[in-house]
Coordinates of all heavy atoms in Angstrom, one line a residue:
M1 N 169.4 141.1 140.8 CA 170.2 140.6 141.9 C 169.4 140.4 143.1 O 169.3 139.2 143.7 CB 171.3 141.7 142.2 CG 172.3 141.2 143.2 SD 173.4 139.8 142.5 CE 174.3 139.4 144.0
S2 N 168.6 141.4 143.6 CA 167.8 141.1 144.8 C 166.7 140.2 144.5 O 166.3 139.4 145.4 CB 167.4 142.5 145.4 OG 166.8 143.3 144.4
L3 N 166.2 140.3 143.3 CA 165.1 139.4 142.9 C 165.5 137.9 143.0 O 164.8 137.0 143.5 CB 164.5 139.7 141.5 CG 163.3 138.9 141.1 CD1 162.1 139.1 142.1 CD2 162.9 139.2 139.7
S4 N 166.7 137.6 142.5 CA 167.2 136.3 142.6 C 167.5 135.8 144.0 O 167.3 134.7 144.4 CB 168.5 136.1 141.7 OG 169.5 136.9 142.2
R5 N 167.8 136.8 144.9 CA 168.0 136.5 146.3 C 166.6 136.1 146.9 O 166.5 135.2 147.7 CB 168.6 137.7 147.0 CG 168.9 137.4 148.5 CD 169.9 138.5 149.0 NE 169.7 138.7 150.4 CZ 170.1 137.9 151.4 NH1 170.7 136.7 151.0 NH2 169.9 138.1 152.6
I6 N 165.6 136.8 146.5 CA 164.2 136.5 147.0 C 163.8 135.1 146.5 O 163.4 134.2 147.3 CB 163.2 137.5 146.5 CG1 163.5 138.9 147.1 CG2 161.8 137.1 146.9 CD1 162.7 140.0 146.5
K7 N 164.0 134.8 145.2 CA 163.7 133.5 144.7 C 164.4 132.4 145.4 O 163.8 131.4 145.7 CB 164.1 133.5 143.2 CG 163.1 133.9 142.2 CD 163.6 133.6 140.8 CE 162.7 134.3 139.8 NZ 163.3 134.5 138.5
E8 N 165.6 132.6 145.6 CA 166.5 131.6 146.2 C 166.0 131.4 147.7 O 165.9 130.2 148.1 CB 167.9 132.1 146.2 CG 168.9 131.0 146.3 CD 170.3 131.6 146.3 OE1 170.8 132.0 145.2 OE2 171.0 131.6 147.4
A9 N 165.7 132.5 148.4 CA 165.3 132.3 149.8 C 164.0 131.6 149.9 O 163.8 130.7 150.7 CB 165.1 133.7 150.4
V10 N 163.0 131.9 148.9 CA 161.7 131.2 149.0 C 162.0 129.7 148.6 O 161.4 128.8 149.2 CB 160.7 131.9 148.0 CG1 159.5 131.0 147.8 CG2 160.4 133.2 148.5
A11 N 162.8 129.5 147.6 CA 163.0 128.1 147.1 C 163.7 127.3 148.2 O 163.4 126.1 148.4 CB 163.9 128.1 145.9
N12 N 164.6 127.9 149.0 CA 165.3 127.2 150.0 C 164.6 127.3 151.4 O 165.1 126.9 152.4 CB 166.7 127.8 150.2 CG 167.5 127.5 149.0 OD1 167.4 126.5 148.3 ND2 168.4 128.4 148.7
K13 N 163.3 127.8 151.4 CA 162.5 127.9 152.6 C 163.2 128.7 153.7 O 163.1 128.4 154.9 CB 162.1 126.5 153.1 CG 161.5 125.6 152.1 CD 160.9 124.4 152.7 CE 160.3 123.4 151.7 NZ 159.3 124.1 150.8
K14 N 163.8 129.8 153.3 CA 164.5 130.6 154.2 C 163.7 132.0 154.4 O 164.2 132.8 155.2 CB 165.9 130.9 153.8 CG 166.8 129.7 154.0 CD 168.2 130.0 153.7 CE 169.1 128.8 154.1 NZ 170.5 129.0 153.7
M15 N 162.7 132.1 153.6 CA 161.9 133.3 153.8 C 160.7 133.0 154.8 O 159.9 132.1 154.5 CB 161.3 133.7 152.4 CG 160.6 135.1 152.4 SD 161.7 136.5 152.6 CE 162.2 136.7 150.8
I16 N 160.8 133.6 155.9 CA 159.9 133.1 157.0 C 158.7 134.0 157.2 O 158.8 135.2 157.3 CB 160.7 133.0 158.3 CG1 161.8 132.0 158.2 CG2 159.8 132.5 159.5 CD1 161.4 130.6 157.8
C17 N 157.5 133.4 157.3 CA 156.3 134.1 157.5 C 156.3 134.6 159.0 O 156.7 134.0 159.9 CB 155.1 133.1 157.4 SG 153.5 133.7 158.0
Q18 N 155.9 135.9 159.1 CA 155.9 136.6 160.4 C 154.8 136.2 161.3 O 154.7 136.6 162.4 CB 156.0 138.1 160.2 CG 157.2 138.5 159.4 CD 158.5 138.1 160.0 OE1 158.9 138.5 161.1 NE2 159.2 137.1 159.4
K19 N 153.8 135.5 160.7 CA 152.6 135.1 161.5 C 152.7 133.7 162.0 O 152.5 133.4 163.2 CB 151.4 135.3 160.6 CG 150.1 135.2 161.4 CD 148.9 135.6 160.5 CE 147.6 135.3 161.1 NZ 146.5 135.5 160.2
C20 N 153.1 132.7 161.2 CA 153.1 131.3 161.6 C 154.5 130.7 161.7 O 154.7 129.6 162.0 CB 152.2 130.5 160.7 SG 152.9 130.3 159.0
N21 N 155.5 131.5 161.3 CA 156.9 131.1 161.3 C 157.2 129.9 160.5 O 158.2 129.3 160.7 CB 157.3 130.8 162.8 CG 157.4 132.0 163.6 OD1 157.9 133.0 163.1 ND2 156.9 132.0 164.8
R22 N 156.4 129.7 159.5 CA 156.7 128.6 158.5 C 157.3 129.3 157.2 O 157.1 130.5 157.1 CB 155.5 127.8 158.2 CG 155.1 126.8 159.3 CD 153.9 126.1 159.0 NE 152.7 127.0 159.1 CZ 151.4 126.6 158.9 NH1 151.2 125.3 158.7 NH2 150.5 127.4 159.0
P23 N 157.9 128.6 156.4 CA 158.5 129.2 155.2 C 157.4 129.8 154.3 O 156.4 129.1 154.0 CB 159.2 128.1 154.5 CG 159.4 127.0 155.5 CD 158.3 127.1 156.5
V24 N 157.6 130.9 153.8 CA 156.7 131.5 152.8 C 156.7 130.7 151.5 O 157.8 130.3 151.0 CB 157.1 133.0 152.6 CG1 156.5 133.6 151.4 CG2 156.9 133.8 153.8
Q25 N 155.6 130.5 150.9 CA 155.5 129.7 149.7 C 155.6 130.4 148.4 O 156.0 129.9 147.4 CB 154.1 128.9 149.7 CG 153.8 128.1 151.0 CD 154.7 126.9 151.0 OE1 155.0 126.3 150.0 NE2 155.0 126.4 152.2
K26 N 155.2 131.7 148.5 CA 155.1 132.4 147.2 C 155.5 133.9 147.4 O 155.4 134.4 148.5 CB 153.6 132.4 146.7 CG 153.2 131.1 146.1 CD 151.7 131.0 145.8 CE 151.0 132.2 145.3 NZ 149.6 131.9 144.9
F27 N 155.8 134.5 146.3 CA 156.0 135.9 146.3 C 155.6 136.5 145.0 O 155.6 135.8 143.9 CB 157.4 136.3 146.6 CG 158.4 136.0 145.5 CD1 158.7 137.0 144.6 CD2 159.0 134.8 145.4 CE1 159.6 136.8 143.5 CE2 159.8 134.6 144.3 CZ 160.1 135.6 143.4
E28 N 155.2 137.7 145.0 CA 154.9 138.4 143.7 C 155.7 139.7 143.7 O 155.7 140.5 144.7 CB 153.4 138.8 143.7 CG 152.5 137.7 143.3 CD 151.0 138.0 143.6 OE1 150.7 139.1 143.9 OE2 150.2 137.0 143.5
K29 N 156.4 139.8 142.7 CA 157.2 141.0 142.5 C 156.3 142.2 142.1 O 155.5 142.0 141.2 CB 158.3 140.8 141.5 CG 159.3 141.9 141.4 CD 160.2 141.7 140.2 CE 161.0 142.9 140.0 NZ 161.5 143.1 138.6
Y30 N 156.4 143.3 142.7 CA 155.6 144.4 142.1 C 156.4 145.6 141.7 O 155.9 146.4 140.9 CB 154.5 144.7 143.0 CG 154.7 145.6 144.2 CD1 154.5 146.9 144.2 CD2 155.1 145.0 145.4 CE1 154.7 147.7 145.4 CE2 155.3 145.7 146.5 CZ 155.1 147.1 146.5 OH 155.3 147.8 147.6
A31 N 157.6 145.8 142.1 CA 158.3 146.9 141.6 C 159.8 147.0 142.0 O 160.2 146.6 143.0 CB 157.7 148.2 142.0
E32 N 160.6 147.4 141.0 CA 161.9 147.9 141.4 C 161.7 149.3 141.8 O 161.0 150.0 141.1 CB 162.8 147.9 140.2 CG 163.1 146.5 139.6 CD 164.2 145.8 140.4 OE1 164.8 146.4 141.3 OE2 164.4 144.6 140.2
T33 N 162.2 149.8 142.8 CA 161.9 151.1 143.3 C 162.9 152.1 142.8 O 164.1 151.9 142.8 CB 161.8 151.2 144.8 OG1 163.0 150.8 145.3 CG2 160.6 150.4 145.3
I34 N 162.3 153.2 142.2 CA 163.1 154.4 142.0 C 162.4 155.5 142.7 O 161.2 155.8 142.4 CB 163.3 154.7 140.5 CG1 164.0 153.6 139.8 CG2 164.0 156.0 140.3 CD1 164.0 153.7 138.3
D35 N 162.9 155.9 143.8 CA 162.2 156.8 144.6 C 162.5 158.3 144.2 O 163.6 158.7 144.0 CB 162.7 156.7 146.1 CG 162.3 155.3 146.6 OD1 161.3 154.8 146.2 OD2 163.1 154.8 147.4
A36 N 161.4 159.0 144.0 CA 161.5 160.4 143.8 C 161.4 161.2 145.1 O 160.4 160.9 145.8 CB 160.4 160.8 142.8
V37 N 162.3 162.0 145.3 CA 162.3 162.7 146.6 C 162.1 164.2 146.3 O 162.9 164.8 145.5 CB 163.6 162.4 147.4 CG1 163.6 163.3 148.6 CG2 163.7 161.0 147.8
R38 N 161.2 164.8 146.9 CA 161.0 166.2 146.8 C 162.0 167.0 147.6 O 162.1 166.8 148.8 CB 159.6 166.6 147.2 CG 158.7 167.0 146.1 CD 157.3 167.2 146.5 NE 156.4 166.4 145.6 CZ 156.0 166.9 144.4 NH1 156.4 168.0 144.0 NH2 155.2 166.1 143.7
D39 N 162.7 167.8 147.0 CA 163.7 168.6 147.7 C 163.4 170.1 147.4 O 163.9 170.6 146.4 CB 165.1 168.1 147.3 CG 166.2 168.9 147.9 OD1 165.9 169.6 149.0 OD2 167.3 169.0 147.4
G40 N 162.6 170.7 148.2 CA 162.2 172.1 147.8 C 161.4 172.1 146.5 O 160.4 171.4 146.4
F41 N 161.9 172.8 145.5 CA 161.2 172.9 144.3 C 161.7 171.8 143.3 O 161.1 171.6 142.2 CB 161.3 174.3 143.7 CG 160.6 175.3 144.5 CD1 161.3 176.2 145.2 CD2 159.2 175.4 144.4 CE1 160.7 177.2 146.0 CE2 158.5 176.3 145.2 CZ 159.3 177.2 146.0
N42 N 162.8 171.2 143.7 CA 163.3 170.2 142.8 C 162.8 168.8 143.1 O 162.5 168.5 144.3 CB 164.8 170.2 142.9 CG 165.4 171.5 142.5 OD1 165.1 172.1 141.5 ND2 166.3 172.0 143.4
I43 N 162.7 168.0 142.2 CA 162.5 166.6 142.5 C 163.7 165.8 142.1 O 164.1 165.9 140.9 CB 161.2 166.1 141.7 CG1 160.0 166.8 142.2 CG2 161.1 164.6 141.9 CD1 158.7 166.5 141.4
Q44 N 164.2 165.2 143.0 CA 165.4 164.4 142.7 C 165.0 162.9 142.6 O 164.3 162.4 143.5 CB 166.4 164.5 143.9 CG 167.0 165.8 144.1 CD 168.0 165.8 145.2 OE1 168.0 165.0 146.1 NE2 169.0 166.7 145.1
E45 N 165.5 162.3 141.6 CA 165.2 160.9 141.5 C 166.4 160.2 142.2 O 167.6 160.4 141.8 CB 165.1 160.5 140.1 CG 163.7 160.8 139.6 CD 163.3 159.9 138.4 OE1 164.2 159.2 137.9 OE2 162.1 160.0 138.1
I46 N 166.1 159.4 143.1 CA 167.1 158.6 143.8 C 166.9 157.2 143.4 O 165.9 156.6 143.7 CB 167.1 158.8 145.3 CG1 167.4 160.3 145.6 CG2 168.1 157.9 146.0 CD1 167.2 160.7 147.0
E47 N 167.9 156.6 142.8 CA 167.7 155.2 142.5 C 168.1 154.4 143.7 O 169.1 154.6 144.4 CB 168.7 154.8 141.4 CG 168.4 153.5 140.8 CD 169.3 153.1 139.6 OE1 169.9 154.0 139.1 OE2 169.3 151.9 139.3
S48 N 167.2 153.5 144.1 CA 167.5 152.6 145.2 C 167.4 151.2 144.6 O 166.8 151.0 143.6 CB 166.5 152.8 146.3 OG 165.4 151.9 146.2
H49 N 168.1 150.4 145.2 CA 168.2 149.0 144.7 C 167.2 148.1 145.4 O 167.2 146.9 145.2 CB 169.6 148.5 144.8 CG 170.6 149.3 144.0 ND1 170.6 149.2 142.7 CD2 171.5 150.2 144.4 CE1 171.5 150.1 142.2 NE2 172.1 150.7 143.2
A50 N 166.3 148.7 146.1 CA 165.3 147.9 146.8 C 164.3 147.3 145.8 O 164.0 147.9 144.8 CB 164.5 148.8 147.8
T51 N 163.9 146.1 146.0 CA 162.9 145.5 145.2 C 161.7 145.2 146.2 O 161.8 144.6 147.2 CB 163.4 144.1 144.7 OG1 164.5 144.4 143.9 CG2 162.3 143.4 143.9
R52 N 160.6 145.8 145.8 CA 159.4 145.5 146.6 C 158.7 144.3 146.2 O 158.5 144.1 145.0 CB 158.4 146.7 146.5 CG 159.0 147.9 147.2 CD 158.0 149.1 147.2 NE 158.6 150.2 147.8 CZ 158.4 151.5 147.5 NH1 157.5 151.8 146.5 NH2 159.0 152.5 148.0
V53 N 158.3 143.5 147.1 CA 157.6 142.3 146.8 C 156.4 142.1 147.7 O 156.4 142.7 148.8 CB 158.5 141.0 146.9 CG1 159.5 140.9 145.9 CG2 159.0 140.9 148.3
T54 N 155.5 141.3 147.2 CA 154.4 140.9 148.1 C 154.7 139.4 148.5 O 154.8 138.6 147.6 CB 153.1 140.9 147.4 OG1 152.8 142.3 146.9 CG2 151.9 140.5 148.3
L55 N 155.0 139.2 149.7 CA 155.2 137.9 150.2 C 153.9 137.2 150.6 O 153.1 137.9 151.2 CB 156.1 137.9 151.4 CG 157.5 138.5 151.2 CD1 158.2 138.7 152.5 CD2 158.3 137.7 150.2
I56 N 153.7 136.0 150.2 CA 152.5 135.3 150.4 C 152.8 134.0 151.1 O 153.4 133.1 150.5 CB 151.7 135.0 149.1 CG1 151.4 136.4 148.4 CG2 150.4 134.3 149.4 CD1 151.0 136.2 147.0
C57 N 152.3 133.9 152.4 CA 152.6 132.7 153.1 C 152.1 131.4 152.5 O 152.8 130.5 152.2 CB 152.1 132.8 154.6 SG 152.3 131.4 155.5
N58 N 150.8 131.4 152.3 CA 150.1 130.3 151.6 C 150.2 128.9 152.3 O 150.0 127.9 151.7 CB 150.7 130.2 150.1 CG 149.6 129.8 149.2 OD1 148.5 130.1 149.3 ND2 150.0 129.0 148.2
N59 N 150.6 128.9 153.5 CA 150.6 127.7 154.3 C 149.2 127.5 154.8 O 148.4 128.4 154.9 CB 151.5 127.7 155.5 CG 153.0 127.5 155.0 OD1 153.3 126.5 154.5 ND2 153.8 128.5 155.2
D60 N 148.8 126.2 155.1 CA 147.5 125.9 155.6 C 147.1 126.8 156.8 O 147.9 126.8 157.7 CB 147.4 124.4 156.0 CG 147.4 123.5 154.8 OD1 147.2 124.1 153.6 OD2 147.6 122.3 154.9
G61 N 145.9 127.4 156.7 CA 145.4 128.1 157.9 C 146.1 129.5 158.1 O 145.9 130.1 159.1
C62 N 146.9 129.9 157.2 CA 147.6 131.2 157.4 C 147.4 132.0 156.2 O 147.6 131.6 155.0 CB 149.1 131.0 157.6 SG 150.0 132.5 158.0
D63 N 146.9 133.2 156.4 CA 146.6 134.1 155.3 C 147.6 135.3 155.3 O 147.3 136.4 154.7 CB 145.2 134.6 155.4 CG 144.9 135.4 156.7 OD1 145.8 135.5 157.6 OD2 143.7 135.8 156.9
W64 N 148.7 135.2 155.9 CA 149.7 136.3 155.9 C 150.2 136.7 154.6 O 150.5 135.8 153.7 CB 150.9 135.9 156.8 CG 151.9 137.0 157.1 CD1 151.7 138.0 158.0 CD2 153.1 137.2 156.5 NE1 152.8 138.8 158.0 CE2 153.7 138.4 157.1 CE3 153.9 136.5 155.5 CZ2 155.0 138.8 156.7 CZ3 155.1 137.0 155.2 CH2 155.7 138.2 155.8
K65 N 150.2 137.9 154.4 CA 150.6 138.5 153.1 C 151.2 139.8 153.4 O 150.7 140.6 154.2 CB 149.3 138.8 152.3 CG 149.4 138.6 150.8 CD 148.1 138.8 150.2 CE 148.1 138.5 148.7 NZ 146.9 138.9 148.0
E66 N 152.3 140.1 152.9 CA 152.9 141.4 153.2 C 153.6 142.0 152.0 O 154.4 141.4 151.3 CB 153.9 141.3 154.3 CG 154.6 142.6 154.7 CD 154.7 142.9 156.2 OE1 153.7 142.7 156.9 OE2 155.9 143.1 156.6
R67 N 153.3 143.3 151.7 CA 154.0 144.0 150.7 C 155.1 144.8 151.3 O 154.9 145.6 152.2 CB 153.0 144.9 150.1 CG 153.5 145.6 148.8 CD 152.5 146.6 148.4 NE 151.5 146.0 147.4 CZ 150.7 146.7 146.7 NH1 150.7 148.0 146.8 NH2 149.9 146.1 145.8
T68 N 156.3 144.5 150.9 CA 157.5 145.1 151.7 C 158.7 145.3 150.8 O 158.8 144.6 149.8 CB 157.9 144.2 152.9 OG1 158.9 144.8 153.6 CG2 158.3 142.8 152.4
E69 N 159.5 146.2 151.2 CA 160.8 146.2 150.5 C 161.9 145.8 151.6 O 163.1 145.9 151.3 CB 161.1 147.6 149.9 CG 161.1 148.8 150.9 CD 161.2 150.1 150.2 OE1 162.3 150.3 149.6 OE2 160.3 150.9 150.2
Y70 N 161.4 145.5 152.7 CA 162.4 145.0 153.8 C 162.3 143.5 154.0 O 162.5 143.0 155.1 CB 162.1 145.8 155.1 CG 162.1 147.3 154.9 CD1 161.0 148.0 154.9 CD2 163.3 147.9 154.7 CE1 161.0 149.4 154.7 CE2 163.4 149.3 154.5 CZ 162.2 150.0 154.5 OH 162.3 151.4 154.3
W71 N 162.1 142.9 152.9 CA 162.0 141.4 152.9 C 163.2 140.7 153.4 O 163.2 139.6 153.9 CB 161.6 140.9 151.5 CG 162.4 141.5 150.4 CD1 162.1 142.6 149.7 CD2 163.7 141.1 150.0 NE1 163.1 142.9 148.8 CE2 164.2 142.0 149.0 CE3 164.6 140.1 150.4 CZ2 165.4 141.9 148.4 CZ3 165.8 139.9 149.7 CH2 166.2 140.9 148.8
D72 N 164.3 141.4 153.3 CA 165.6 141.0 153.7 C 165.6 140.5 155.2 O 166.2 139.6 155.6 CB 166.7 142.1 153.5 CG 168.0 141.5 153.2 OD1 168.1 140.4 152.6 OD2 169.0 142.1 153.6
N73 N 164.7 141.3 156.0 CA 164.6 141.0 157.4 C 163.9 139.7 157.7 O 164.0 139.2 158.8 CB 163.8 142.1 158.1 CG 164.4 143.4 158.0 OD1 165.6 143.5 157.9 ND2 163.6 144.5 158.1
Y74 N 163.3 139.1 156.7 CA 162.5 137.9 156.9 C 163.3 136.7 156.5 O 162.8 135.5 156.5 CB 161.2 137.9 156.1 CG 160.3 139.1 156.5 CD1 159.4 139.7 155.5 CD2 160.3 139.7 157.7 CE1 158.6 140.8 155.9 CE2 159.6 140.8 158.1 CZ 158.7 141.3 157.1 OH 157.9 142.4 157.4
I75 N 164.5 136.9 155.9 CA 165.3 135.7 155.5 C 166.1 135.3 156.7 O 166.8 136.1 157.4 CB 166.2 136.1 154.3 CG1 165.3 136.5 153.1 CG2 167.1 135.0 154.0 CD1 166.1 137.0 151.9
V76 N 166.1 134.0 156.9 CA 166.9 133.4 158.0 C 168.1 132.7 157.3 O 168.0 132.2 156.2 CB 166.2 132.5 158.9 CG1 165.1 133.2 159.7 CG2 165.5 131.3 158.1
D77 N 169.2 132.7 158.0 CA 170.3 131.9 157.5 C 170.6 130.7 158.3 O 170.2 130.6 159.4 CB 171.6 132.8 157.5 CG 171.5 133.7 156.3 OD1 171.2 133.3 155.2 OD2 171.8 134.9 156.5
Ligands
LIG1 ZN1 152.2 132.0 157.7

């Protein structure tokens, strides 16, 4: 679900580079996150629906690259 949202945002040029403000050209998915949280002696696995991606600007003269799970903040409507 979130992966298709990323794909769509990149395809529609709505994922914006934070350095040059042009649309990000590429992304690499690196993980669906399942966060393990230490709670005293127990380890709780908390499933989160975040998808971490590496956003790659790839526009001329811009080398911006960011690994983030807050990619949602970079999508403009
Ligand atoms: Zn850029």
